[in-house]
Amino acid sequence: MRYFTLIVSVICMAFAATAAKADRRVAFVVGNGAYKNVAALPNPSVDAKAMASALRNVGFEVVEGTNLTRDKMTERLLDFGKKAQGADVAVFFYAGHGIAISGTNYLLPIDADIKSEMDVKLGAAINIDLTLEQTMGDAKVKLVFLDACRDNPFAAKIKSNSATRSVSVQTGLAEMKSGEGTLIAFATGPGQTALDGQEGTNSPFTRALLANITTPGVEIQQAMTKVRAQVNEETHKGQLPWGHTNLIGSVYLNGTPAPAAPGAAPAAAAVAAASPGTDVELEFWRSIKDSNKPEELNAYITNYPNGQFKTLALSRIASLESGPSTATRNLTTGIDPATFTEQSNQTTEDQIGLEKGQRRDVQRRLNGLGFDTKVTGVFNESTRAVITRWQAARGYPKSGYLNKLQHKALLTEIVATTPTASSSDDEEKPARRRASSGGGGGGGGSAPAPRSHSGGPDPAGAGRFIGGVMGGMLR
């Protein structure tokens, strides 16, 4: 009898375990890269295949496709919509070209040939809002990942063919709001473009998703915080994923955390509550603290409603919405409107004719504005990444290179120090002393105080030192 009871208990436990995992999970995963009418994207198909595999490994039924035409995408979406009805969790992942027109986002099949706004609205592209509503509306939890914020070649065509109409064609994708039980995540912020990555590899955004969203025992919103931090670090702060969530409970794609031992949970909770902030939160805040885009600051508040920088974020949002203040940095007054549209590259930067001292001046100014970089007078890869961050924060076209308008705008910004093009760095002082040793005047054993060109003490040098210390404290 005892054996019979034991067998029944085991069977009951097995059924209970099966029931616990019986939630219906459906995913739509598509990557479009082999475009017929514009340059191809090398990585979306790689991204889609990797994402489909990852989701299958955690129990999703995946409707998958790569390099789909308009008709094929419609077929896959209809199939996904049927399977997603009443699903416990539905995931929508798309990698490829997307476009935003007048605040509405569209996905582009590979046979899209878009020359005007009418082409988009008459069916050459797929309306994201309508698609999500029709295919995922009945699912209990809806997770949407859009790696579709590439620099879109169709935008220029539409603008060039719209001389008689006012058409708003955005860079990247437009902001979207999530309904109840929904999380929407973009590869980068609204109106910005994301990186596709090296050919044959995953994009930075997809790579971060793969590394975090199916981690055992990690809740999806915690995973997305790690995704943002990973992309931000990998792109040297040139790209920050953005999202909007309206989830009403915890969502785990790969099992809930193991229960803590009796009596340990309250202590752990107390430690978590007392913690002033995680490294991820600090990194997230550092990446957007100087942003002039309210949506990026709101993203911090959404993800950290009790974060240690919430008051600062709210204050900065209020100042941005009320307009520039004369008491703080004035980033827009006197800026030529063309600064926000004129592209920059190596040629435009060469036209400025920056000497080494002027390059150091640029680097010091970026430091004073909170965009940390070494002052070397050389624009290496690290400095290029910092310039890209500054451009993104100001709303200028991002390239890592300057043009005359951007350089002029940088010179007008109020910084924590007052750099001058003639100031020298410590690394150059020994060389300069050697160069002047032939002019007489014995040397001493101790390092000389900063000197002015007239030979006396250099008060500007002391001022720069004090200003640098104060700037560092403010940062």
Side-chain angles (χ1 to χ4, degrees), residues 142-145 178 181-185 220-221 224 244-245 247:
K142 298 168 275 286
L143 308 177
V144 181
F145 305 106
S178 57
T182 304
L183 178 147
I184 298 176
I220 190 64
Q221 295 184 77
M224 291 311 299
H244 193 275
T245 180
L247 296 176

Side-chain angles (χ1 to χ4, degrees), residues 279-326:
D279 291 340
V280 175
E281 180 191 354
L282 292 173
E283 181 62 30
F284 190 6
W285 172 250
R286 284 192 62 196
S287 68
I288 56 94
K289 68 184 179 69
D290 294 304
S291 174
N292 63 348
K293 295 180 180 296
E295 61 268 18
E296 292 184 353
L297 295 158
N298 276 315
Y300 168 80
I301 295 172
T302 298
N303 287 280
Y304 299 98
N306 299 312
Q308 61 177 319
F309 304 108
K310 180 179 179 180
T311 302
L312 292 174
L314 290 171
S315 176
R316 184 154 177 78
I317 290 170
S319 66
L320 290 171
E321 291 178 345
S322 63
S325 169
T326 56

